[in-house]
Amino acid sequence: MDLYFLLVLVYQYKHLLEMPFKKNHESRFLPIESQSLDTKPLTLKLRPGIRDKIRSIPNWQSELRDTIEAWLQKKLDQTAQD
């Protein structure tokens, strides 16, 4: 009897257990980046207050990625010249 009750309960409230947006829903998440990102994040410790200042900048993640890529390319070019 308990199992039957549970199955009926789950069936009645199935819509609450499903994902809020089905595949190809008009309000689904769309990535901003044209290229997929690495699954492993780069973490670093900052001086106090820097994190909050960075996060206050709109679109800070994309800008920081671009800045890091430019810095890395510059360092690699300098290393190749030496």
Side-chain angles (χ1 to χ4, degrees):
M1 182 68 177
D2 291 333
L3 181 61
Y4 177 75
F5 177 73
L6 182 63
L7 288 174
V8 170
L9 190 65
V10 168
Y11 182 75
Q12 287 178 345
Y13 296 101
K14 181 175 76 169
H15 66 281
L16 297 174
L17 302 173
E18 294 176 346
M19 291 178 49
F21 295 120
K22 297 292 183 190
K23 211 171 206 180
N24 297 326
H25 190 275
E26 62 185 32
S27 298
R28 71 186 185 275
F29 171 77
L30 295 173
I32 297 172
E33 303 287 331
S34 59
Q35 189 176 7
S36 62
L37 302 175
D38 196 341
T39 57
K40 297 180 225 165
L42 172 68
T43 58
L44 67 142
K45 295 190 182 222
L46 300 170
R47 292 182 185 93
I50 300 293
R51 179 180 180 269
D52 294 330
K53 289 177 184 176
I54 289 174
R55 292 179 62 107
S56 70
I57 300 170
N59 200 21
W60 67 272
Q61 289 178 326
S62 182
E63 288 189 37
L64 190 56
R65 284 185 201 107
D66 294 341
T67 302
I68 289 172
E69 287 178 19
W71 172 79
L72 180 61
Q73 189 59 48
K74 180 180 172 185
K75 290 295 182 180
L76 291 174
D77 291 345
Q78 286 177 354
T79 304
Q81 289 176 357
D82 292 341

